[in-house]
Amino acid sequence: MKLILLGAPGAGKGTQAEVICNELKIPAVSTGNMIREALSKGTEMGLKAKSFIDAGKLVPDEVVIGIIKDRLAKDDCANGFILDGFPRTIPQAEALDNMGIVIDRVVDIEVPDEKIASRLSGRRVCKDCGASYHLEYKAPKAEGKCDACGGELVQRKDDEPATVLDRLKVYHEQTEPLKDYYEKKGILRIVEGQEEVADTSALTLKALED
Ligand code: ADP
Ligand code: ZN
């Protein structure tokens, strides 16, 4: 199964990608995580990406396309993968097509704009392993500490309210047109994001069946 998860920032793509990864045993590939990892390692690409991320803008297409090309060529992607956060623009989607990759399903997780701000302001990530939490929807067992590794939980700079509106604008202008792009191919399914993670997962897994 070659799957794309679409949705606004904070719609829960990353969380659902993890669930599907465990369920179907195919890797979840997150461009956001890969870029943040490069950033924390201080690579040249990471440094180049920093100003875009911090401003809530998209990293240039050629950079992310390069990252994704290398990643999807790895052995573990041979039987399928879940793309979380890629493609985010029409040229990125066209690049996937040009790589000869045939996507089976695109699931768009819809969450109204009014709910995005609170979802993002409550999000916390582990400084050490990058695991994602939410103060309300996915609280860690011990306050401020990562369940997986005990690392400190922090707020992403681009989750601060000032940047969130910019990210939403970018989403509507550049990413939302992908719904049409994949609708025309007949592979788009829409899932309404629920309050409970497990409820969204049930709907998402169902959307993969038909
Ligand atoms: P979210 O889905 O919550 O917005 P991500 O972790 O997917 O968070 O992305 C964070 C940031 O990383 C984006 O705002 C953008 O700057 C950059 N980024 C991630 N994926 C892409 C992509 N496919 N194209 C361009 N920029 C990207
Ligand atoms: Zn951790």
Side-chain angles (χ1 to χ4, degrees):
M1 164 82 66
K2 297 190 173 88
L3 171 68
I4 292 172
L5 293 180
L6 273 185
K13 298 183 297 288
T15 306
Q16 296 308 325
E18 247 173 67
V19 171
I20 301 166
C21 165
N22 290 328
E23 198 75 26
L24 301 187
K25 314 284 177 226
I26 47 176
V29 173
S30 157
T31 38
N33 287 349
M34 286 190 276
I35 297 168
R36 277 187 294 276
E37 208 177 283
L39 223 166
S40 73
K41 283 186 187 148
T43 68
E44 199 189 322
M45 187 276 283
L47 293 175
K48 242 195 256 169
K50 184 174 165 42
S51 59
F52 294 100
I53 295 194
D54 286 352
K57 297 206 175 93
L58 294 183
V59 173
D61 284 335
E62 61 273 19
V63 176
V64 273
I65 290 168
I67 299 175
I68 230 46
K69 217 178 210 166
D70 291 347
R71 181 64 188 89
L72 297 185
K74 297 224 164 97
D75 287 348
D76 65 331
C77 289
N79 292 323
F81 46 77
I82 309 147
L83 291 178
D84 157 26
F86 184 96
R88 254 178 159 94
T89 64
I90 297 282
Q92 290 178 20
E94 288 169 348
L96 266 186
D97 289 345
N98 293 337
M99 287 175 219
I101 289 171
V102 180
I103 300 294
D104 300 298
R105 188 63 86 233
V106 178
V107 177
D108 175 48
I109 304 174
E110 300 245 327
V111 171
D113 281 10
E114 310 84 79
K115 291 200 178 157
I116 293 292
S118 78
R119 280 183 173 238
L120 289 178
S121 65
R123 178 154 77 179
R124 297 292 181 275
V125 293
C126 173
K127 239 172 103 181
D128 297 332
C129 77
S132 192
Y133 298 88
H134 193 282
L135 298 181
E136 208 177 318
Y137 307 112
K138 197 186 168 196
K141 293 198 179 81
E143 201 185 315
K145 266 195 181 172
C146 176
D147 292 351
C149 79
E152 185 195 346
L153 300 185
V154 296
Q155 184 170 39
R156 265 166 54 178
K157 193 162 188 288
D158 62 340
D159 279 348
E160 288 171 10
T163 317
V164 166
L165 287 180
D166 292 321
R167 287 165 66 202
L168 262 179
K169 191 159 171 267
V170 166
Y171 168 73
H172 288 303
E173 285 174 5
Q174 303 199 51
T175 306
E176 222 170 8
L178 290 175
K179 287 202 277 185
D180 237 25
Y181 185 90
Y182 289 116
E183 173 65 42
K184 287 195 179 109
K185 292 182 190 274
I187 55 176
L188 180 78
R189 300 291 180 274
I190 307 260
V191 160
E192 302 281 340
Q194 307 291 309
E195 296 284 319
E196 295 290 331
V197 169
D199 293 340
T200 308
S201 300
L203 293 173
T204 304
L205 288 168
K206 202 156 162 277
L208 303 183
E209 284 168 10
D210 62 312

